[in-house]
Amino acid sequence: LSFRQSLINNLRAEAEIIGANSVSALTFDDPASAAATLQGLSRSPDVISAALTTDDGTIFANYGPPDELILSGKHVLPRGEVEHHWLNGRRLLLAHRIVFQGSPLGVVYISATLNEIGQRARHYLLIAGLILLLCMLAALLISSLSRKLVAQPIASLAETARSISREHDYSVRAEESTDSIEMSVLTEAFNEMLRQIQQSEAALRQSRDELEQRVEERTAELRAANRELEAFSYTVAHDLRGPLDSITGLGYLLAGTSSQLDSNSREMLQRLQESAKNMSALIDDLLNFARASVTPVKRDEVNLTAMALRIAGDLKSSEPARRVDFVISDLPPVEAEDRKSTRLNSSHITI
């Protein structure tokens, strides 16, 4: 577009010069002088032909081979216009009216080719192709450098992170990059994070090992204490069984002579037998308590209200002279192992 406008401007200037130089030839009817003036267009490589017409459209002089654009009469400068141009494919026709002292004398027609536009377009296309090729080569070089400096270290860092996440091996370190300062800083920060995680994991593992060791030590101490308690319970139960058996036997012998005893003696004998049974139950409970750490608890539904009423009744019967009012509300049932004893003032329950 720029070249075409420049060509039109050049043709306009040449037409004005030819028009000015052809005034005398038109005035004095000198076609040879007008033709000589048109020969000056030979220095313009784009001009193919030209013609000088009178004001009525008659060919006065021409230059170059006959041009159909001029001779066909299809392109005629309208009256009242000083200049006009037409484009027909690769041809450009420019018309310029010659005016002398306000009167039109004739019209200059110059026909030029636009082949140079095609040549320039091909040159520009070649230049654009070369520039595009250079840009692609530059982009390839930049991409290669970017991949080497950024993409590959990041991909290596990501693969190291995936490997650590998969294997939980925090002793692995990412390879530091020496090509890029930014990647070197990033890799150093990543390795520092791995070192901190490794130290935290080591401290956590040490704490866990120490805790497990303490638990084992406490478990061993608890087992030893349970064994000692069980041995003590067996010893106490064995030592208490002898005197209790003697008391139980004496009560059995006295029960055989209950017909010879008065009511007060029979009541005392009954209490003696109940106390012996209660003592035997306590010894059994002591042995069961010693085995509680190794014996599973059998859970049943226990009525706490009934238990409280029974204990209150035992207390009243044990000391009838004391005036005590028991207020026992309804208690909720619980799941427990009920181990009742026949003592007057006790009942044992393991929850």
Side-chain angles (χ1 to χ4, degrees):
L1 293 176
S2 175
F3 173 76
R4 186 174 63 185
Q5 187 61 39
S6 176
L7 179 60
I8 292 173
N9 294 334
N10 292 335
L11 293 179
R12 181 184 296 114
E14 292 176 349
E16 291 177 355
I17 294 173
I18 291 174
N21 293 332
S22 301
V23 170
S24 59
L26 289 171
T27 303
F28 298 103
D29 193 17
D30 187 3
S33 177
T37 301
L38 292 177
Q39 288 295 325
L41 295 174
S42 60
R43 292 187 297 270
S44 298
D46 297 320
V47 176
I48 299 175
S49 62
L52 180 62
T53 66
T54 60
D55 190 48
D56 59 1
T58 303
I59 301 296
F60 184 75
N62 55 29
Y63 163 76
D67 195 337
E68 291 295 330
L69 294 179
I70 301 174
L71 299 177
S72 62
K74 295 181 180 180
H75 304 289
V76 178
L77 182 63
R79 292 270 180 192
E81 290 190 18
V82 178
E83 182 182 297
H84 192 78
H85 67 271
W86 297 269
L87 286 174
N88 186 6
R90 292 187 176 275
R91 297 288 296 278
L92 173 64
L93 177 62
L94 184 137
H96 178 73
R97 192 176 300 279
I98 302 173
V99 180
F100 179 70
Q101 294 181 353
S103 299
L105 298 179
V107 179
V108 178
Y109 291 92
I110 301 177
S111 177
T113 181
L114 301 179
N115 291 332
E116 190 174 350
I117 291 182
Q119 296 177 359
R120 291 198 177 196
R122 287 191 292 271
H123 290 166
Y124 291 155
L125 182 61
L126 179 60
I127 293 173
L130 292 176
I131 292 175
L132 180 61
L133 180 60
L134 291 176
C135 290
M136 293 178 62
L137 293 176
L140 181 61
L141 179 61
I142 294 174
S143 175
S144 178
L145 292 176
S146 175
R147 184 170 60 253
K148 180 180 179 182
L149 297 178
V150 180
Q152 289 181 354
I154 290 180
S156 177
L157 194 64
E159 181 61 28
T160 302
R162 283 195 294 269
S163 176
I164 294 173
S165 176
R166 182 174 57 253
E167 300 177 3
H168 300 285
D169 184 8
Y170 299 103
S171 62
V172 179
R173 295 292 181 269
E175 184 179 356
E176 295 187 2
S177 175
T178 58
D179 298 329
S180 174
I181 299 177
E182 292 79 4
M183 287 304 305
S184 177
V185 172
L186 179 61
T187 305
E188 184 179 356
F190 182 75
N191 290 335
E192 179 63 25
M193 180 184 66
L194 290 179
R195 280 191 290 270
Q196 294 179 3
I197 294 177
Q198 186 179 10
Q199 293 175 359
S200 300
E201 185 187 24
L204 182 62
R205 186 183 298 109
Q206 182 179 1
S207 300
R208 186 179 63 235
D209 295 340
E210 292 177 356
L211 181 60
E212 291 178 354
Q213 183 178 0
R214 293 196 192 98
V215 170
E216 292 178 357
E217 293 175 356
R218 297 297 184 272
T219 302
E221 294 175 358
L222 182 60
R223 289 175 180 174
N226 288 336
R227 286 194 297 268
E228 293 177 359
L229 177 61
E230 187 176 358
F232 174 76
S233 300
Y234 280 127
T235 302
V236 172
H238 182 270
D239 292 341
L240 293 178
R241 286 289 185 183
L244 182 62
D245 291 340
S246 300
I247 296 174
T248 303
L250 180 60
Y252 179 76
L253 294 176
L254 292 176
T257 60
S258 60
S259 58
Q260 301 177 4
L261 300 176
D262 55 11
S263 59
N264 189 22
S265 298
R266 284 195 297 271
E267 183 179 357
M268 294 179 62
L269 179 60
Q270 183 179 0
R271 290 184 179 179
L272 177 64
Q273 291 177 338
E274 291 178 354
S275 298
K277 291 179 181 180
N278 193 18
M279 187 64 183
S280 178
L282 285 176
I283 294 175
D284 293 336
D285 289 343
L286 183 61
L287 293 176
N288 291 330
F289 177 73
R291 292 192 295 266
S293 60
V294 295
T295 303
V297 177
K298 182 180 179 182
R299 298 182 181 273
D300 297 317
E301 185 173 319
V302 178
N303 190 342
L304 295 180
T305 304
M307 180 183 296
L309 292 173
R310 184 176 65 253
I311 295 174
D314 292 342
L315 293 174
K316 287 182 180 180
S317 62
S318 63
E319 296 186 24
R322 297 183 61 184
R323 304 298 300 173
V324 179
D325 294 331
F326 291 90
V327 179
I328 301 175
S329 302
D330 292 336
L331 300 174
V334 296
E335 289 186 358
E337 182 176 354
D338 187 12
R339 295 177 181 174
K340 301 175 182 177
S341 65
T342 57
R343 283 177 51 190
L344 294 179
N345 59 349
S346 70
S347 178
H348 301 277
I349 179 172
T350 302
I351 300 177

